[in-house]
Amino acid sequence: MFTGIIEAIGHIESIQMGADDARIRVRAGKMSMSDVKLGDSIATNGVCLTVVEMDAHHFTADVSNETLRLTNFGIYKAGQKVNLEKALMPTSRLGGHIVSGHVDGVAKVSAINKLSRAIDYWLELPKELVRYVAYKGSITVDGTSLTINAVEENRVKLTLVPHSLEETMISDYQVGTSVHIEVDVLARYLERLLLSTQKDENNPSGLTLESLTKAGFA
């Protein structure tokens, strides 16, 4: 599990493509590798990867065929910048929101509007993910926990302050940039719960879509 608070901007030094998967070597930038062990998880542009080799400044991870198919790792080249975050520890502050590192889909930057110091980014989401986003809800973009400031059909607006722009690779985004999206896991669990209770005629908890709506959860 992760928080979506980026620790460093790294970059991919090499990609070795195999028949069905790939192995990548990542330079960790300012992220300390001193407490990383083989088998640990590191979110790399929001994708949870397992460390199979490491040294003081790098880690190597295998990327499965499924990940290559569903994310941008299939088109990344050596030199690609990546947001990095080590897995959450029980003693860590939960500064963002709960992030699993399991990317739900790929979105595209559709507009960028510069404000006085901050920047608004509009993302066009896949239609199947729109139902999981909400005004002032959380979303993960290339591993970064962000707040949704507007929802218009299948687009969401995200406002980045200078600190976030400095500490992540988002400042490199341009119109058309493809990004990894992970929706709030609570939205997925709520959907599953609603589907289960709607199909279950014997619902001892009394939990229904109507009751959740009245309580402000749906």
Side-chain angles (χ1 to χ4, degrees):
M1 303 300 290
F2 307 91
T3 67
I5 303 300
I6 301 305
E7 296 182 54
I9 301 173
H11 69 270
I12 297 175
E13 284 199 343
S14 65
I15 303 177
Q16 299 175 2
M17 298 299 298
D20 298 308
D21 54 17
R23 175 164 287 197
I24 66 168
R25 177 178 165 87
V26 179
R27 185 167 184 85
K30 69 177 184 179
M31 186 180 74
S32 173
M33 296 291 293
S34 61
D35 59 346
V36 176
K37 304 182 298 297
L38 294 180
D40 281 358
S41 297
I42 297 178
T44 307
N45 263 10
V47 178
C48 179
L49 298 179
T50 301
V51 176
V52 297
E53 293 177 4
M54 57 169 290
D55 60 31
H57 303 290
H58 306 82
F59 70 91
T60 300
D62 292 323
V63 182
S64 70
N65 184 57
E66 181 76 355
T67 300
L68 292 173
R69 184 177 66 85
L70 294 177
T71 72
N72 288 322
F73 275 93
I75 60 173
Y76 284 165
K77 306 294 183 183
Q80 170 71 43
K81 289 183 180 180
V82 287
N83 292 324
L84 300 175
E85 181 191 356
K86 289 180 284 190
L88 177 68
M89 298 178 66
T91 56
S92 301
R93 288 189 177 95
L94 188 61
H97 71 285
I98 296 175
V99 176
S100 68
H102 301 155
V103 170
D104 290 301
V106 174
K108 287 191 180 297
V109 178
S110 61
I112 300 175
N113 301 316
K114 293 185 177 181
L115 309 175
S116 56
R117 296 182 65 233
I119 299 179
D120 283 341
Y121 292 86
W122 284 89
L123 302 185
E124 185 176 331
L125 303 182
K127 292 182 180 179
E128 64 271 18
L129 295 182
V130 173
R131 66 179 182 272
Y132 300 114
V133 300
Y135 174 62
K136 295 303 179 184
S138 296
I139 193 169
T140 308
V141 180
D142 277 341
T144 306
S145 173
L146 297 171
T147 300
I148 298 169
N149 287 328
V151 180
E152 294 182 0
E153 297 181 347
N154 68 323
R155 299 199 311 155
V156 298
K157 183 177 75 172
L158 312 168
T159 302
L160 277 292
V161 297
H163 178 77
S164 297
L165 292 169
E166 292 169 3
E167 296 298 320
T168 72
M169 55 169 287
I170 294 177
S171 59
D172 289 345
Y173 290 175
Q174 300 176 4
V175 172
T177 296
S178 179
V179 299
H180 296 148
I181 294 295
E182 181 184 332
V183 299
D184 192 339
V185 66
L186 296 179
R188 285 200 173 277
Y189 279 119
L190 180 58
E191 178 186 54
R192 177 63 179 168
L193 184 61
L194 288 172
L195 290 174
S196 298
T197 54
Q198 286 172 351
K199 294 177 181 178
D200 186 4
E201 295 181 356
N202 299 314
N203 181 12
S205 68
L207 186 63
T208 64
L209 178 58
E210 183 180 1
S211 64
L212 285 171
T213 302
K214 287 182 178 179
F217 292 105

